């Protein structure tokens, strides 16, 4: 039974990717680019040298962290669209903490800065969770609005109170904070590249999220609240409380992603630091089937897409924004694919078609004959 | 939309339909002619609904043929079936609540769609014609949400007839109806049958007996019996349906002498619309008895059950359980006090459908010492518990890792019952525990409840199935408009007497006018 489900789910994911690729190919043709050349650049370009690979991983770290948070919130029945704002609040909190305590040793400062980032994001997510739990404010509305507020706070602080005094002196006025103290930096893994220990942190986080959701009573409660709020309530689970906890955690992971970007990559808060990780993280999580085991490869895949898109801009003269089109199409394809997943009739037809096509998949399986 | 020729015969031959791992229909051969009612009987999962979906063109059979009036047809969509005069009334009504009856019909009738204009009057006229001809009173201008379930059922029938169907497929049409509405529907269908052909899907054998001319029994996707209804007793049909003798257990004792367990005093609770749904309800449950709460649905049963489970605020009054007032306690406190609960809507209230069977079996106890250590779930113990309960409660599932929502209603109910009983409750509230469940599972659930009763558990059984209430209860309380109208010992209860009480008339009042077609208007009971 489970094997069939995996085969079916895998087939749908592959089909979804193909459909998305085909649709984007049409767009590429429309702007006069060659789809094949573009896809070749996107998919093989980033992996052709060590630098490319490390850059892919640098991108996938925040995507993975955000995606984990999204998975927690979606699994708990709350649609968190606010990761972008939560990242920015994490960036600000981490930066402020690091700048306020420049003399602490690394052993204290780095954990503190990461924690502050997570806390900043958690508060921002928690607001939406609290509004939903106590006042029944739709979380999609509140998180989107909180994104705007966070963006404005971010801009205001980086152009005002947190602006690097050097920028004022030299008069260049680039909106960015002072450089953080070295003691707050994440170490490099591969010397000479930007790849930092945030990767390890993110992988450990993925493991922890898996343990949390599937091995602990807290995760059980959250999944029950998400998958069947009514039944959970009847079973004595205070659903509202777990909505808030889920949003605190989801925001915390997004905030952590922000802190990791600051301490691992940019070493200061800059404008546009998140570059859309908050939204891409939703796609990463959905593409990874809201499971850490799927989100890890999915975050790498989207890391490849991001770097590949940059490369196509240079080599194939295709605007890097095409990757946004691709993301959008993938979301649409996933959502349609999921409704397809739920249709037993479609399942039956697909399985029989597959059984005819690839009988070895179903060896030792009874019940399905072509 | 009217058929080319009136339908005189529908014939299915060798219909086979396979789903992954399941043979849903296995060479089914059936026929039904004008002027007759064919009852299609079978337990849940026997393949009834799949077969009907094949007739309606929603599924295509793997093999076999369908012919209308001797001509082989292939339906690709319900529209094709309607074009040949075949229509279906689904178990769950397909009506838009905030539209009128006429608007609901107009949606499906293409003749009424003119350029930029929808002929609602035409729809209303058509409804009046049909409802007069078939004696199905329906007000075309009423909004669906204003109608009772029984009236909505009539709207569905009229709609199907208006769309040109002369062969009606009725999928468990009585599953949501009160006993009175059921009797009324059966009577109307009997009258309509002379001009139509009807396929009546049900597993309520007394209805099958009352309505049908012939009966076909499906088991595991195959027809195991064809016969004339008049020649066979319901018990015989039940045995054929389940594959073994079925005798629903009865409560032979006369309990009600145990120590008081739960007393509800002057309970006031508001309904969803802010009305006082419970208005001073008094009730006492004793240990070792089944207390049936009978009533037409909508008289406060749901609010009563919710208040007992801690899911609805209590405005005033007490729920004293072993001397402790549970009113306005949290669900968790109530669960921990030893109350078991089988909720009304098993799919959404009783289980988390996407969770596995084993996870649903610990829905209330996952945090207990048995199933977790330092807030880590003890998977081994959870597996062991699931295997044990699966065995003990005869839960039929491919494995305990299967998603519970994919099981049949009867098996879902067994999962819930297993969970509640395994917790060792002192009192159990069961709300419509066998609604829409097949005979085999029903028998099992009934005997489980009676066994718990013998062990000294007090059981509140809220149901509108009079058979069920009378079979299982020691005492029967009739609920009407948020109060208990009367409590009588089960031995003194008869169908008629309960029916009268459920309509809000106390014993001393005269019975309702003879031949009144449905439940008397609620207001008629005042003074």
């Amino acid at each position: 039974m489970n094997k069939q489900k995996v085969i079916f789910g895998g087939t749908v994911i592959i089909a979804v990717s193909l459909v998305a690729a085909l649709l984007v190919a049409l767009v590429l043709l429309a702007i006069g680019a060659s789809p094949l050349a573009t896809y070749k650049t996107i998919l093989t370009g980033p992996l052709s040298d060590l630098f490319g690979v490390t850059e892919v991983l640098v991108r996938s770290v925040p995507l993975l962290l955000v995606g984990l948070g999204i998975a927690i919130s979606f699994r708990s029945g709350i649609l968190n669209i606010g990761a972008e704002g939560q990242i920015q609040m994490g960036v600000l909190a981490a930066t402020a903490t690091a700048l306020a305590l420049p003399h602490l040793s690394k052993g204290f400062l780095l954990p503190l800065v990461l924690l502050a980032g997570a806390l900043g994001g958690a508060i921002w997510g928690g607001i939406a969770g609290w509004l939903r739990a106590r006042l029944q404010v739709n979380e999609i509305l509140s998180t989107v609005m909180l994104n705007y507020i966070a963006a404005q706070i971010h801009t205001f602080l980086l152009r005002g109170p947190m602006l690097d005094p050097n920028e004022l002196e030299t008069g260049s006025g680039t909106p960015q904070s002072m450089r953080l103290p070295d003691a707050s930096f994440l170490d490099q893994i591969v010397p000479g590249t930007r790849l930092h220990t945030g990767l390890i942190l993110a992988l450990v986080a993925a493991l922890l999220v898996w343990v949390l959701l599937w091995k602990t009573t807290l995760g059980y409660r959250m999944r029950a609240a998400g998958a069947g709020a009514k039944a959970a309530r009847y079973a004595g689970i205070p659903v509202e409380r777990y909505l808030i906890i889920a949003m605190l955690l989801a925001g915390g992971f997004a905030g952590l992603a922000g802190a990791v970007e600051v301490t691992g990559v940019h070493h200061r808060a800059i404008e546009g630091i998140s570059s859309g990780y908050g939204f891409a993280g939703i796609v990463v999580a959905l593409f990874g089937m809201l499971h850490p085991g799927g989100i890890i490869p999915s975050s790498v895949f989207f890391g490849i897409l991001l770097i590949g898109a940059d490369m196509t801009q240079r080599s194939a003269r295709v605007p890097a924004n095409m990757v946004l089109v691709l993301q959008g199409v993938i979301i649409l394809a996933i959502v349609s694919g999921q409704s397809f997943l739920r249709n037993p009739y479609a399942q039956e037809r697909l399985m029989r078609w597959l059984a005819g096509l690839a009988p070895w998949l179903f060896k030792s399986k009874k019940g399905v004959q072509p | 939309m009217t058929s080319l020729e009136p339908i005189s015969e529908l014939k299915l031959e060798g219909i086979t339909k396979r789903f992954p791992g399941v043979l849903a229909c296995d060479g089914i051969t059936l026929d039904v002619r004008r002027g007759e009612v064919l009852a299609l009987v079978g337990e849940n999962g026997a393949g009834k609904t799949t077969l009907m979906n094949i007739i309606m063109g929603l599924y295509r059979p793997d093999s076999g043929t369908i012919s209308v009036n001797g001509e082989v047809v292939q339906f690709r969509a319900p529209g094709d079936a309607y074009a040949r005069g075949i229509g279906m009334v689904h178990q769950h009504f397909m009506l838009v609540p905030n539209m009128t009856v006429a608007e609901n019909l107009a949606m499906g009738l293409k003749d009424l769609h003119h350029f930029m204009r929808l002929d609602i009057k035409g729809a209303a006229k058509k409804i009046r014609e049909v409802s007069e001809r078939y004696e199905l009173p329906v007000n075309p201008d009423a909004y669906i949400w204003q109608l009772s379930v029984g009236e909505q059922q009539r709207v569905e029938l009229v709609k199907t007839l208006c769309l040109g169907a002369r062969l009606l497929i009725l999928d468990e049409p009585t599953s949501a109806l009160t006993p009175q509405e059921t009797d009324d529907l059966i009577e109307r269908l009997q009258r309509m049958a002379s001009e139509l052909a009807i396929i009546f899907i049900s597993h309520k054998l007394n209805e099958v007996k009352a309505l049908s001319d012939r009966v076909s029994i499906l088991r595991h996707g195959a027809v195991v019996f064809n016969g004339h209804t008049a020649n066979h007793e319901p018990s015989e049909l039940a045995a054929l349906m389940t594959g073994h003798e079925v005798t629903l257990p009865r409560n032979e004792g006369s309990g009600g002498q145990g120590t008081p367990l739960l007393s509800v005093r002057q309970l006031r609770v508001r309904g969803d619309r802010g009305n006082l749904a419970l208005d001073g309800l008094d009730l006492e449950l004793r240990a070792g008895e089944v207390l049936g709460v009978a009533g037409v649905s909508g008289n406060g049963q749901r609010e009563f059950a919710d208040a007992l489970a801690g899911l609805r605020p209590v405005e005033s009054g007490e729920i004293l359980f072993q001397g402790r007032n549970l009113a306005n306690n949290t669900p968790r406190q109530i669960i921990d006090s030893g109350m078991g609960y089988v909720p009304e809507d098993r799919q959404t209230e009783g289980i988390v459908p996407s969770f596995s069977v084993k996870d649903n079996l610990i829905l209330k106890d996952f945090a207990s010492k048995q199933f977790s250590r330092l807030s880590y779930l003890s998977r081994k113990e959870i597996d062991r518990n699931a295997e044990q309960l699966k065995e003990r409660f005869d839960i039929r599932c491919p494995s305990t890792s299967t998603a519970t929502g994919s099981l049949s209603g009867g098996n879902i109910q067994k999962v819930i019952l297993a969970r509640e009983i395994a917790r060792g409750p002192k009192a159990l509230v069961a709300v419509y525990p066998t609604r829409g469940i097949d005979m085999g599972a029903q028998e099992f659930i009934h005997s489980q409840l009676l066994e718990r009763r013998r062990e000294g558990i007090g059981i509140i059984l809220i149901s509108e199935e009079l058979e069920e209430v009378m079979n299982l209860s020691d005492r029967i309380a009739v609920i009407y408009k948020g109060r208990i109208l009367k409590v009588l010992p089960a031995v003194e209860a008869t169908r008629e007497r309960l029916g009268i009480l459920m309509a809000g008339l106390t014993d001393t009042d005269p019975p309702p006018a003879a031949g009144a077609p449905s439940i008397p208007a609620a207001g008629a009971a005042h003074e």
Side-chain angles (χ1 to χ4, degrees):
Chain A
M1 210 61 203
N2 261 332
K3 185 182 169 191
Q4 281 205 2
K5 246 189 188 163
V6 171
I7 295 174
F8 183 68
T11 313
V12 169
I13 283 283
I14 292 169
V16 159
S17 314
L18 286 178
V19 168
L22 261 170
L23 288 173
V24 174
L26 292 179
V27 181
L28 287 170
L29 281 175
I31 62 169
S34 150
L36 276 180
T38 310
Y39 283 134
K40 195 176 164 227
T41 317
I42 289 184
L43 294 176
T44 61
L47 302 178
S48 55
D49 58 13
L50 179 68
F51 178 74
V53 173
T54 58
E55 278 301 298
V56 164
L57 292 177
V58 167
R59 301 297 176 102
S60 53
V61 168
L63 287 177
L64 174 53
L65 285 171
V66 172
L68 292 172
I70 297 287
I72 294 176
S73 61
F74 277 39
R75 287 261 176 202
S76 309
I78 189 159
L79 300 175
N80 176 23
I81 314 294
E84 190 71 11
Q86 292 147 15
I87 292 174
Q88 285 171 332
M89 295 315 269
V91 166
L92 292 174
T95 309
T97 308
L99 291 177
L101 305 163
H103 305 299
L104 276 185
S105 67
K106 187 160 190 166
F108 286 107
L109 187 58
L110 181 57
L112 208 61
V113 167
L114 294 178
L115 198 69
L119 210 63
I123 290 173
W124 213 243
I127 294 174
W130 185 85
L131 285 171
R132 157 81 190 273
R134 297 284 170 250
L135 304 172
Q136 279 87 47
V137 177
N138 180 299
E139 73 274 13
I140 297 178
L141 281 178
S142 64
T143 49
V144 167
M145 293 304 143
L146 284 165
N147 279 345
Y148 287 120
I149 299 174
Q152 295 309 318
I153 294 177
H154 195 256
T155 307
F156 166 72
L157 287 178
L158 289 192
R159 285 166 188 257
M162 284 173 80
L163 179 64
D164 187 351
N166 279 333
E167 295 292 330
L168 278 180
E169 261 168 49
T170 58
S172 58
T174 311
Q176 58 183 22
S177 75
M178 265 163 53
R179 192 175 156 86
L180 303 192
D182 287 3
S184 66
F185 292 179
L186 284 165
D187 294 325
Q188 284 176 355
I189 296 181
V190 184
T193 69
R194 299 201 295 169
L195 187 60
H196 52 82
T197 45
L199 176 67
I200 297 161
L201 185 74
L203 289 174
V204 172
L207 183 70
L208 288 180
V209 168
W210 177 73
V211 170
L212 169 80
L213 281 178
W214 279 278
K215 299 285 160 196
T216 69
T217 53
L218 175 62
Y220 181 93
R221 286 189 178 98
M222 293 201 293
R223 285 188 297 117
K230 240 179 167 178
R233 225 169 256 135
Y234 272 81
I237 298 173
V239 171
E240 282 70 24
R241 183 187 304 166
Y242 294 97
L243 289 182
I244 297 179
I245 294 179
M247 277 309 285
L248 285 172
L249 286 171
F253 275 103
L256 183 62
V260 165
E261 279 300 282
V262 173
T263 55
V265 181
H266 301 288
H267 301 147
R268 62 170 83 213
I270 57 170
E271 266 194 353
I273 190 167
S274 145
S275 58
Y277 289 137
F279 299 116
I282 299 172
V283 196
V284 168
L286 287 175
F287 204 67
M289 296 263 182
L290 300 179
H291 190 290
I295 296 173
I296 294 175
S298 155
S299 67
V300 174
F301 176 65
F302 279 87
I304 294 175
L305 286 188
L306 285 175
I307 301 292
D310 277 345
M311 291 185 157
T312 56
Q313 186 155 9
R314 273 172 270 138
S315 67
R317 296 236 208 110
V318 173
N321 285 346
M322 279 311 295
V323 82
L324 292 179
V325 177
L326 188 61
Q327 275 181 18
V329 173
I330 286 179
I331 293 197
L332 290 178
I334 288 178
V335 174
S336 338
Q338 276 174 342
S339 71
F340 187 73
L341 270 172
R342 276 188 227 106
N343 178 350
Y345 189 51
Q347 275 183 28
E348 178 230 353
R349 288 225 295 203
L350 180 69
M351 293 312 282
R352 284 209 280 152
W353 182 74
L354 276 178
L357 210 66
W360 47 270
L361 270 178
F362 298 91
K363 242 187 241 164
S364 83
K365 275 266 141 195
K366 45 188 183 293
V368 181
Q369 286 117 25
Chain B
M1 267 283 186
T2 35
S3 50
L4 312 168
E5 43 183 324
I7 189 162
S8 60
E9 188 191 34
L10 171 78
K11 204 171 182 124
L12 309 181
E13 266 171 310
I15 298 282
T16 298
K17 177 74 186 171
R18 197 185 288 278
F19 287 120
V22 188
L23 194 55
C25 297
D26 184 7
I28 291 177
T29 298
L30 279 183
D31 69 288
V32 57
R33 280 175 223 97
R34 187 179 146 119
E36 101 183 326
V37 179
L38 171 72
L40 191 60
V41 175
E43 303 201 273
N44 294 325
K48 294 168 297 185
T49 303
T50 306
L51 185 64
M52 293 307 116
N53 284 336
I54 289 173
I55 297 181
M56 291 307 292
L58 288 164
Y59 290 165
R60 245 161 283 168
D62 296 340
S63 61
T65 57
I66 304 175
S67 46
V68 174
N69 301 346
E71 177 197 343
V72 173
V73 290
Q74 270 185 335
F75 299 146
R76 297 181 176 276
D80 297 347
Y82 272 102
R84 297 307 302 257
I86 302 173
M88 178 157 172
V89 175
H90 293 266
Q91 190 177 358
H92 303 288
F93 301 151
M94 309 276 181
L95 297 168
V96 182
N98 55 359
M99 282 190 178
T100 64
V101 173
E103 285 169 340
N104 266 286
L105 171 66
M107 268 189 302
L109 263 185
K110 291 232 171 57
D111 320 0
L112 300 175
H113 291 252
H114 305 292
F115 180 68
M116 299 286 278
R117 196 175 65 84
L118 188 57
D119 186 5
I120 296 290
K121 276 201 189 120
K125 187 164 157 259
K126 197 145 192 179
I127 289 170
R128 277 194 206 96
E129 278 170 22
V130 168
S131 78
E132 241 163 69
R133 171 139 185 232
Y134 293 99
E135 298 178 51
L136 292 165
V138 155
N139 174 9
D141 301 319
Y143 283 91
I144 299 299
W145 58 264
Q146 296 173 321
L147 303 179
S148 73
V149 179
E151 287 170 317
Q152 291 186 27
Q153 178 71 263
R154 287 209 289 274
V155 173
E156 280 283 14
L157 282 173
V158 169
K159 193 178 91 179
T160 311
L161 290 166
C162 284
L163 291 174
R166 293 300 173 262
L167 184 148
L168 300 183
I169 300 171
L170 310 177
D171 191 2
E172 307 205 11
T174 61
S175 61
L177 301 186
T178 64
Q180 286 85 348
E181 285 173 327
T182 302
D183 294 347
D184 177 55
L185 178 71
I186 300 266
E187 227 180 276
R188 286 177 198 284
L189 290 176
Q190 273 165 342
R191 280 199 298 265
M192 289 158 63
S194 59
E195 290 186 46
L196 305 167
I198 295 177
I199 299 180
F200 178 73
I201 302 177
S202 182
H203 50 236
K204 296 184 184 165
L205 295 171
N206 49 352
E207 291 168 15
V208 168
K209 188 83 180 144
L211 179 62
S212 67
D213 304 303
R214 287 190 301 127
V215 54
S216 290
I217 298 179
L218 282 186
R219 197 163 75 222
H220 303 311
V223 177
V224 294
F225 174 81
N226 275 313
H228 287 274
T229 316
N231 304 341
H232 303 277
E233 284 306 306
S235 59
E236 199 181 327
L237 298 177
L240 285 162
M241 181 166 94
T242 54
H244 59 91
E245 286 290 325
V246 177
T247 39
L248 285 178
R250 289 183 63 97
N251 182 350
E252 300 294 356
S254 53
Q257 282 97 41
T259 49
L261 195 62
L262 176 83
S263 32
V264 178
R265 291 193 195 138
Q266 284 299 305
L267 196 65
R268 267 169 233 278
V269 173
R270 291 202 179 272
D272 289 334
R273 271 165 280 156
N275 54 320
L276 262 186
L278 294 188
D279 189 8
L281 182 135
D282 286 294
L283 202 61
E284 186 162 81
L285 175 71
R286 292 168 176 274
E289 74 163 344
V290 175
L291 175 61
V293 176
V296 177
S297 70
N299 272 294
Q301 290 96 323
R302 160 151 275 264
E303 290 79 3
F304 180 46
D306 280 356
L308 285 178
L311 292 157
R312 202 176 270 273
V314 171
E315 202 145 283
S316 66
E318 290 180 321
I319 302 171
L320 286 175
F321 183 46
Q322 299 184 302
R324 193 176 133 204
N325 188 2
L326 292 183
N328 289 324
N329 279 13
T330 64
R332 189 73 246 171
Q333 287 168 319
I334 292 172
I335 290 166
D336 290 340
S337 74
M339 271 277 238
Y341 192 74
V342 178
E344 174 177 359
D345 184 344
R346 52 182 162 268
Q347 281 278 2
T348 67
E349 296 166 352
I351 56 155
V352 178
S354 62
F355 272 25
S356 60
V357 170
K358 57 184 172 196
D359 277 359
N360 269 302
L361 284 170
I362 56 160
L363 198 59
K364 287 186 171 174
D365 291 306
F366 57 89
S368 72
K369 275 202 190 109
Q370 189 188 354
F371 298 120
S372 67
R373 212 174 318 129
L374 300 171
S375 81
Y376 279 88
L377 296 170
S378 319
R379 280 286 160 203
K380 242 187 212 159
E381 184 58 23
I382 292 169
D383 289 345
R384 200 196 54 78
N385 174 66
E387 286 307 325
Q388 192 195 330
L389 291 181
K390 179 188 170 193
E391 196 72 20
R392 183 174 153 206
F393 286 86
D394 188 30
I395 300 166
R396 293 186 200 160
C397 50
S399 92
T400 54
S401 309
T402 311
T404 317
S406 68
L407 303 184
S408 71
N411 279 304
I412 291 177
Q413 197 70 314
K414 285 184 194 169
V415 170
I416 298 170
L417 204 67
R419 178 181 72 216
E420 298 303 320
I421 289 174
R423 308 188 70 249
K426 300 189 188 78
L428 185 68
V429 180
V431 190
Y432 308 114
T434 59
R435 189 189 258 178
I437 282 181
D438 58 64
M439 295 280 288
Q442 201 170 331
E443 176 190 15
F444 184 84
I445 289 168
H446 281 182
S447 59
Q448 276 294 330
L449 290 177
L450 289 178
E451 220 169 285
R452 294 318 121 200
R453 167 187 169 275
R454 273 195 294 279
E455 288 170 5
I457 295 177
I459 297 173
I460 292 182
L461 171 72
I462 299 179
S463 175
E464 46 189 20
E465 289 289 335
L466 291 182
E467 296 295 335
E468 178 170 57
V469 173
M470 293 196 299
N471 269 347
L472 296 184
S473 306
D474 295 291
R475 297 184 298 144
I476 299 175
V478 177
I479 189 170
Y480 180 73
K481 289 199 159 183
R483 287 187 202 184
I484 298 300
L485 199 65
K486 194 175 178 76
V487 181
L488 62 165
V491 282
E492 292 174 21
T494 59
R495 244 188 116 78
E496 292 68 33
R497 199 168 166 203
L498 286 176
I500 291 169
L501 283 166
M502 281 163 72
L505 304 165
T506 45
D507 287 359
T508 48
D509 290 339
S518 61
I519 335 156
H526 272 301
E527 259 48 87

